[in-house]
Amino acid sequence: MPAQAAPAASKESFERSDLVSARLAAVATGKDILVTGLTTATSLTYASPDGSLRSEVSVIPVRVAQGDGIWADVDYDLEKVDDGWAPKVSPSKVVFSAGGDGPAVSFGSASRGFDLSWAKSLPEPTIDGNSAIYQLTDNEALVLTATSDGFEQSLKLTAAPSSVPKQRLGFDMTGVTMIRNWIIRCCRQAGAGIHR
């Protein structure tokens, strides 16, 4: 009878869901143990063997809680969704136009957010990572970019214009208030944030 290979040793897990078990595991292993129950969008907390806690903090969200309670790293690269293009994993709910007469950007939720409209019908965009590029004319392109705060927009010129470009933008707002030019106040909760 041929010899059977010994089962592989189970990999030691250096994370625990709560602080008490994380501290016990840290003492037992001599390693820092991630306390998954204390994870946030901007921080990771570890229990150390000496009983202290150590946190790694980011100034912007670097992960997003999923529906199953698992955290996913942010990924602002755009993917096709039913009503346009959206970042794969983002703390802000934002959708860019797939082209046509609808909103250029939809930001937030149905109860709290806004739609930003462009003055003219938009062409189908070219997608480059986290940016949707709409070629408006031979020398002008609207660039919408997904960011940690939601999005940024810019008008890219490939030739010097004969006059200063002017664009009128429309806002359709629900549950938010514009307090001055380009600053919209809304609560930071599921799919909402502050766009500048």
Side-chain angles (χ1 to χ4, degrees):
M1 182 175 183
Q4 294 182 344
S10 60
K11 186 178 179 180
E12 176 64 47
S13 173
F14 295 110
E15 60 182 50
R16 296 292 187 273
S17 61
D18 63 275
L19 183 56
V20 173
S21 58
R23 280 181 160 151
L24 291 173
V27 172
T29 63
K31 305 284 187 182
D32 284 356
I33 302 296
L34 175 65
V35 189
T36 58
L38 298 181
T39 297
T40 72
T42 57
S43 68
L44 295 174
T45 300
Y46 296 84
S48 299
D50 64 2
S52 64
L53 296 178
R54 174 176 64 86
S55 292
E56 297 176 358
V57 180
S58 172
V59 296
I60 61 173
V62 294
R63 64 192 66 83
V64 178
Q66 305 298 289
D68 55 7
I70 302 299
W71 290 91
D73 291 341
V74 296
D75 184 350
Y76 298 115
D77 283 354
L78 301 177
E79 63 179 358
K80 191 70 175 70
V81 294
D82 289 342
D83 46 357
W85 292 87
K88 294 177 180 177
V89 182
S90 171
S92 300
K93 184 178 181 183
V94 59
V95 178
F96 298 151
S97 171
D101 296 325
V105 180
S106 293
F107 182 77
S109 63
S111 62
R112 181 176 283 109
F114 65 87
D115 291 338
L116 182 150
S117 59
W118 197 250
K120 299 178 181 179
S121 178
L122 290 174
E124 185 176 341
T126 298
I127 304 302
D128 182 11
N130 64 332
S131 294
I133 304 166
Y134 304 83
Q135 198 66 45
L136 304 175
T137 68
D138 290 342
N139 298 323
E140 294 181 347
L142 170 65
V143 182
L144 300 176
T145 302
T147 67
S148 60
D149 283 331
F151 72 96
E152 295 176 353
Q153 67 168 19
S154 59
L155 188 63
K156 182 179 180 181
L157 305 177
T158 56
S162 57
S163 60
V164 177
K166 294 182 180 180
Q167 293 291 342
R168 183 177 295 274
L169 303 178
F171 286 91
D172 183 9
M173 297 182 285
T174 302
V176 298
T177 303
M178 182 174 287
I179 54 177
R180 64 178 185 269
N181 288 346
W182 287 109
I183 298 181
I184 294 173
R185 175 188 291 152
C186 48
C187 296
R188 263 189 199 285
Q189 62 181 48
I194 298 175
H195 170 68
R196 298 178 183 269

